[in-house]
Amino acid sequence: MAALDMNPSRVPRPLLLARLMALVLAAGVLLLLRLIAPIALPAIEERAGSWLWKISATAHDERRVVLVDIDEASLAQLGAWPWPRERMAALSDRLTALGANQQIYDVVFPEAREGDAAFQAALTRTPSVLAQVFAVDQGGVTQGGVLQGALTSPVCAAATPAAHGYIANTATLHAEYVGHITPRIAPDGAVRHVPALVCLNQKSYPALALAALMAGTEAGKQLMLTAGQGWLAPDWQLTLPSLPDQPVPLDAEGNLRVPYRLAPSGLVSVSAVDVLEGRVPKGMLNGAWVLVGATAFGVGDAVPTPHGGAVAGVSVHAQLLTALLDDALPFTPRIAVLYQFLLGLVAAGVLLGMAHSRARLPVYALPLLGLGLGGGMFALHAGFQLHSRYWLGWLNPALFALLAGAVLAMLEHARSRFERERLFSNFASYLPAPVAAALALRAPEDGIRVERREVTVLFADLRNFSAYCEARPPEETAAVLQTFFATATDIIEAHGGMVESLQGDAVMAVWDAPTPCPDHPSLALAAAQALQQHIPPQLPDPSAHGLEQLALGVGIETGTALVGSFGLARRRTHTVLGQTVTVAARLQALTADVAEPILLGSGAAKHLPEGTLYSLGDFLLEGLRQPCRLYAPIASVADGQ
């Protein structure tokens, strides 16, 4: 016989394998999502990062970089754009007079105009950086003006996106340092990256903020582009000769990630008309790098950023420039992929450990745990993003944790359903199925839970079985009982009865409890006759061992009884109690004495048609004070004759 494994901490190997396969399935679903939505999922991560920039942005005044804004007020007082070049020259001279260390223009002047000489002369009086724009992602071959500011090195490399067209300044305006203002537009229209360098005709051109840093530190036109070394390094990095200890980190596509750490209110701005008319607070521009740009409707390039749906492009360059000055550009280190993989392994281990625990968890516990792990990964990413330069990412392991929690929950739910069904099947094998079904819907309770109803009770017992058990091996007697119980159960249930209990070598069956059963006395009698027909031929012949023949005795009575459960909540029993049960049991015991295989009491007899039974007279049954009239089926008399 197989032994039961009573160790509750041991996890069956098939179950462990199923849980591991659930984790593999979650990883497969994540990979499928990445294939189906290669843009949408990274966009979610980027938007979450933008939200973090927005809620954590500082509002302290940034005095190193000051915006000079060609705004609506400037256009209203000084005229429509484009302004005469003499006015731009006057603006440049005023900025020089106010102590600006560097003038950076987020404006392109592609057409030659009268007054260019005056503007050019003004630009030479203070270090100035002009702008130009390339067509990188947009396509097209538009060309306007003359490209300037090409680096002597590096030439075009793998981390330098190629341009298809450009709009540059007129040849009559030039500067030593010129930077491009070409953004990388995300699928949602936001600007989160700017190419550090753009390649055209085998020449590379720096971004405006990078060109301003080069001009401000007198770095020259030669930069060093190298692949990142070490797990915590970026994919690529640019090194300025003037700042050898502050390499500029780039991603695999050669982009600078724009950090929006400053709130819009933290960017100090002054209207261009106030500069021209001398209304700038004293010392405001002294020693500052001045970014000249436009926010006026129809002039400025408004782009979505974490701080709003239509923010002037000049503020993007301001955010990038301040981060370059602080050596605080965020980047994704080369270890990020391994980091996310390890987070996924940790999530898998935690979820697997929770699934293996012996605690009975609600079906939603594992998905909630997966959600909590994903939230923790986002919080970890947020901590690195806001308090360091590392952009590690979180969505892949967080999605895996959520998917793994959901898949494991479905597996555990299916396992729980299977175990409950198996448990109920075992439960129902020890109790009548209708009773087991009713009890399964109720919580355990103390006390008596019974009902009074009229029932028919049948007792069937193997006579002479005790002597047989004494003489024969227990395995043989167990096989006899197994055959008897199996056949009796099938016959009783086929006739609408319910096996209430198996008592030693006897079967107790009930009709009309708890399920209503019309004409239950007739069905009980039919079941008794079927038992007498099928059971005796299956019984062994013990005469060879000097034992009396095994026989079957059946007693039947109909009457009122209590049907229900008794005992404490931790140990209860279901049974049928009352004189009806006692009479049926005594009738069965009397079958040998009166030589009748089936005996019925008066309660059952009165429900049966005339001519079905005949009376054996009154008998005083053991344990009762009033005599009881006994009946036997006519068929049994005929059989006896």
Side-chain angles (χ1 to χ4, degrees), residues 521 556-558 600-610 613 629 631:
I556 300 173
E557 178 62 315
T558 300
L600 294 89
S602 58
K606 69 181 181 181
H607 290 87
L608 295 171
E610 292 184 9
L613 308 174
R629 179 156 294 186
Y631 295 85

Side-chain angles (χ1 to χ4, degrees), residues 252-267:
E253 297 177 350
N255 296 318
L256 305 167
R257 180 180 286 278
V258 183
Y260 290 94
R261 292 192 174 94
L262 282 172
S265 59
L267 295 172

Side-chain angles (χ1 to χ4, degrees), residues 8-187:
S9 63
R10 184 177 300 167
V11 179
R13 184 171 297 177
L15 180 57
L16 176 60
L17 181 61
R19 287 169 175 162
L20 292 175
M21 291 303 297
L23 296 177
V24 173
L25 176 61
V29 173
L30 175 60
L31 179 61
L32 182 61
L33 288 175
R34 298 287 300 184
L35 293 174
I36 294 174
I39 296 176
L41 293 183
I44 293 173
E45 192 167 72
E46 291 290 347
R47 288 190 178 193
S50 296
W51 176 75
L52 288 173
W53 292 131
K54 182 176 182 179
I55 64 172
S56 65
T58 59
H60 68 82
D61 289 348
E62 172 55 62
R63 294 289 182 174
R64 295 169 299 174
V65 178
V66 178
L67 306 184
V68 173
D69 191 2
I70 303 171
D71 55 7
E72 298 287 353
S74 299
L75 298 185
Q77 296 183 46
L78 301 177
W81 185 265
W83 286 344
R85 297 294 160 78
E86 291 85 357
R87 184 171 295 154
M88 294 301 302
L91 178 63
S92 178
D93 284 337
R94 280 298 298 162
L95 294 174
T96 301
L98 290 169
N101 273 356
Q102 184 177 192
Q103 298 177 27
I104 309 160
Y105 287 84
D106 182 29
V107 181
V108 182
F109 307 95
E111 299 174 353
R113 292 181 181 274
E114 186 179 349
D116 280 350
F119 188 22
Q120 178 62 43
L123 292 175
T124 59
R125 285 189 275 275
T126 300
S128 300
V129 179
L130 295 178
Q132 54 198 9
V133 61
F134 291 94
V136 176
D137 299 323
Q138 298 82 358
V141 292
T142 301
Q143 296 185 3
V146 178
L147 286 175
Q148 304 173 46
L151 301 176
T152 55
S153 70
V155 295
C156 298
T160 310
H164 310 289
Y166 63 88
I167 298 177
N169 295 291
T170 176
T172 54
L173 296 176
H174 55 84
E176 181 180 0
Y177 292 95
V178 179
H180 74 78
I181 54 175
T182 308
R184 278 285 171 87
I185 308 298

